[in-house]
Amino acid sequence: MSPPTMEPPSAAFDALYRECAGDVFAYVRTLLRDDQAAEDVTALAFERAYRRRVRFDPGRGTPRAWLFTIARNAALDDLRRRGRTTSLDHEVADDAPAGDPVASAERAARRAEVRAALGRLSARDREIVALKFFAGLDNAELAEVLGVSESNAGTKLHRAMTKLRRACDVTA
């Protein structure tokens, strides 16, 4: 009987990088509002994760949530260093195909409404929205990144989304 083959740590990390790099960058860019800084912080987050990969404990959460915790800390370190606050009012790229100019104008107007509404949320609520919808974390991962229970994360997300809906109604 041959010994079980294990995936080398670098191969597992490579897979994590391929799966999460775009989402980590989008999340960090959302917090920093600076593409170059987001690239630097994303690289730093992956560097830190790679150095700490042997300390990852699967019993405490998913690799994705662990990585976003590292990225969040790196982004907040960068914001503190630069003396800035978190914000979500960056321009979101329109992935829809070009075509109907009326539909394009409607999408642009909706994006502007959401940006304005996000600007009225607290920094904590904006971050929760960014983690959920820009980074694509599920509630368990969101809870791990925020350091709260999963039910508490769901409650915080629900409250943030309720505030966002109300803020969107104000802008409409």
Side-chain angles (χ1 to χ4, degrees), residues 1-89:
M1 175 177 215
S2 64
T5 59
M6 294 182 61
E7 186 177 25
S10 61
F13 189 82
D14 288 347
L16 180 65
Y17 176 83
R18 283 190 303 277
E19 175 190 333
C20 298
D23 292 340
V24 169
F25 175 77
Y27 168 65
V28 170
R29 185 179 63 185
T30 297
L31 293 178
L32 301 180
R33 296 183 53 209
D34 178 332
D35 285 350
Q36 184 59 50
E39 287 177 14
D40 294 343
V41 169
T42 299
L44 176 64
F46 276 101
E47 179 184 325
R48 286 180 182 173
Y50 186 79
R51 284 194 322 259
R52 298 175 187 163
R53 71 190 183 282
V54 296
R55 289 186 263 164
F56 170 71
D57 179 4
R60 295 187 65 205
T62 66
R64 184 176 173 85
W66 172 75
L67 178 61
F68 274 93
T69 300
I70 293 170
R72 177 181 189 250
N73 290 335
L76 294 176
D77 288 347
D78 186 73
L79 286 169
R80 277 190 291 272
R81 191 182 87 254
R82 292 192 284 163
R84 292 181 49 194
T85 59
T86 52
S87 177
L88 280 180
D89 60 347

Side-chain angles (χ1 to χ4, degrees), residues 110 113-114 116-118 120 161-172:
R110 281 193 305 268
E113 288 174 17
V114 171
L118 282 167
R120 286 191 290 280
M161 291 306 297
T162 298
K163 291 174 188 175
L164 181 59
R165 283 185 197 98
R166 286 184 191 136
C168 282
D169 289 343
V170 169
T171 61

